[in-house]
Amino acid sequence: MRHFLEVDDLTVEELQHVLELSIKPDLPKVLDGQGVALIFEKPSGRTRNSMEMATVQLGGHPMYIKPEELGIDSRETAEDVVRVMAGYHSVLAARVFDHDRLERMAAADAMPIVNLLSDRAHPMQALADLLTIEQEIGLSRVGKVAYVGDANNVWRSLAIGCSMLGIETSVASPAGHEPTDLDLDRVLTSGGSVQVTDNPREAVEGADVVYTDVWTSMGQENERSERLDVFSPFTVDASLMGVASASSIFMHCLPAHRGEEVTDEVIESPQSRVFPQAHNRMHSARGLLSWIIGETTNHGQ
Ligand code: CP
Ligand code: NVA
């Protein structure tokens, strides 16, 4: 039984294989007649649509389930939910507030669990990010991937994914929102190098990719005004892009808070790849689902 709660749940070879599957035309319909349960405790545009369409493209039936219908840990335990869903669906994918809930679901060991974003990680996003870097620059050619802003779920998965593929990264965050030692250990264990700074220009200097995400993630809305203050020197604007490599690209997982973490000018510039990146969510979701079903089938579960 394999799960995908963070990018390093895959080996390097498996990560490369998932990225290859993501661009393969005419993948076998491995989900023929099967269901994929999609649970969202928070809103979603890209993740829900890309997962639903990837499921359909593999011959399966996506089922969107509102959290209040399941009542995870109120109506019944997370473990019981998974053991019941395993009778109807081949994969359970969930967007949750608390990453521990996903770990408990995986520990029930009844069906493959996929993380659609938690407070800690956003590995499905990182797959699309790596696919975009491969298409736009080449994973073997890319130099530094710079991340500016909150060292959050999106940063964590991106940094781990890059590190696994030997890609150098940098991260510039304000004090209090920088990577923890535990984060850095996990990124470095994956094999790569990471430059940590509180100076965005230092992080972006010579970078091939400049990446940012919102300063206030879902669930942190009550910290918004304080965060706006602390993060204000971390906006990715044209002047900051000016210190990156001349051929650099701009990336963002979206949704963007224009005028906060990125200016209109940068997100609308020819360097911006945010829409191909968003579209890649469907292709990488297809790759991941193909792989996880292959693993389940090949191991006779
Ligand atoms: N990038 C991302 O996960 O977008 P949604 O929150 O719209 O799914
Ligand atoms: N860091 C953001 C990502 C949204 C896709 C959040 O967790 O809300």
Side-chain angles (χ1 to χ4, degrees), residues 155-275:
W155 167 74
R156 226 168 264 119
S157 296
L158 176 71
I160 290 172
C162 285
S163 179
M164 286 172 69
L165 299 179
I167 299 166
E168 181 196 340
T169 60
S170 61
V171 50
S173 319
H177 302 278
E178 68 274 71
T180 64
D181 288 345
L182 217 64
D183 289 333
L184 292 174
D185 276 357
R186 188 150 174 187
V187 172
L188 295 173
T189 305
S190 301
S193 68
V194 51
Q195 174 196 3
V196 183
T197 171
D198 60 3
N199 181 342
R201 294 182 93 79
E202 222 172 86
V204 169
E205 175 99 56
D208 295 309
V209 177
V210 180
Y211 198 121
T212 191
D213 182 19
V214 293
W215 296 337
T216 307
S217 284
M218 291 179 277
Q220 298 173 333
E221 290 77 7
N222 59 350
E223 300 170 22
R224 183 170 154 76
S225 69
E226 176 211 326
R227 283 174 171 268
L228 281 176
D229 251 21
V230 173
F231 281 98
S232 63
F234 289 79
T235 302
V236 177
D237 57 15
S239 153
L240 186 60
M241 288 302 291
V243 301
S245 142
S247 56
S248 62
I249 61 170
F250 171 76
M251 294 177 69
H252 190 310
C253 60
L254 303 181
H257 293 168
R258 291 164 179 246
E260 294 181 19
E261 75 277 2
V262 61
T263 59
D264 265 330
E265 188 183 3
V266 167
I267 203 167
E268 295 296 344
S269 72
Q271 283 166 285
S272 175
R273 295 295 187 278
V274 298
F275 296 111

Side-chain angles (χ1 to χ4, degrees), residues 42 46-47 95 117-118 122 125 152-154 213-214 216-219 253-255 281:
K42 310 179 190 182
R46 281 142 288 269
T47 306
R95 169 168 285 196
L117 181 144
S118 67
H122 198 3
Q125 180 65 52
N152 61 11
N153 44 9
V154 168
D213 182 19
V214 293
T216 307
S217 284
M218 291 179 277
C253 60
L254 303 181
R281 291 292 308 274

Side-chain angles (χ1 to χ4, degrees), residues 23-140:
I23 50 164
K24 231 179 174 165
D26 302 326
L27 281 178
K29 303 268 187 268
V30 291
L31 281 170
D32 187 25
Q34 300 173 54
V36 172
L38 301 167
I39 301 168
F40 287 88
E41 295 180 2
K42 310 179 190 182
S44 167
R46 281 142 288 269
T47 306
R48 177 179 174 185
N49 281 276
S50 59
M51 286 296 290
E52 290 207 13
M53 289 314 300
T55 300
V56 168
Q57 288 165 359
L58 293 173
H61 180 83
M63 184 163 289
Y64 173 76
I65 307 169
K66 289 185 188 154
E68 56 268 32
E69 283 168 349
L70 285 175
I72 301 175
D73 288 330
S74 57
R75 201 160 172 261
E76 57 189 327
T77 65
E79 289 83 355
D80 281 359
V81 168
V82 174
R83 290 160 75 192
V84 170
M85 289 296 144
Y88 316 135
H89 300 285
S90 298
V91 176
L92 188 153
R95 169 168 285 196
V96 298
F97 283 97
D98 186 354
H99 191 86
D100 293 349
R101 178 167 278 177
L102 287 173
E103 292 193 332
R104 285 173 49 216
M105 288 175 148
D109 218 29
M111 68 196 301
I113 306 295
V114 173
N115 181 1
L116 298 182
L117 181 144
S118 67
D119 54 339
R120 215 182 296 164
H122 198 3
M124 293 301 288
Q125 180 65 52
L127 293 180
D129 298 342
L130 292 171
L131 186 60
T132 308
I133 295 171
E134 165 66 1
Q135 291 169 341
E136 298 291 339
I137 301 173
L139 288 166
S140 59

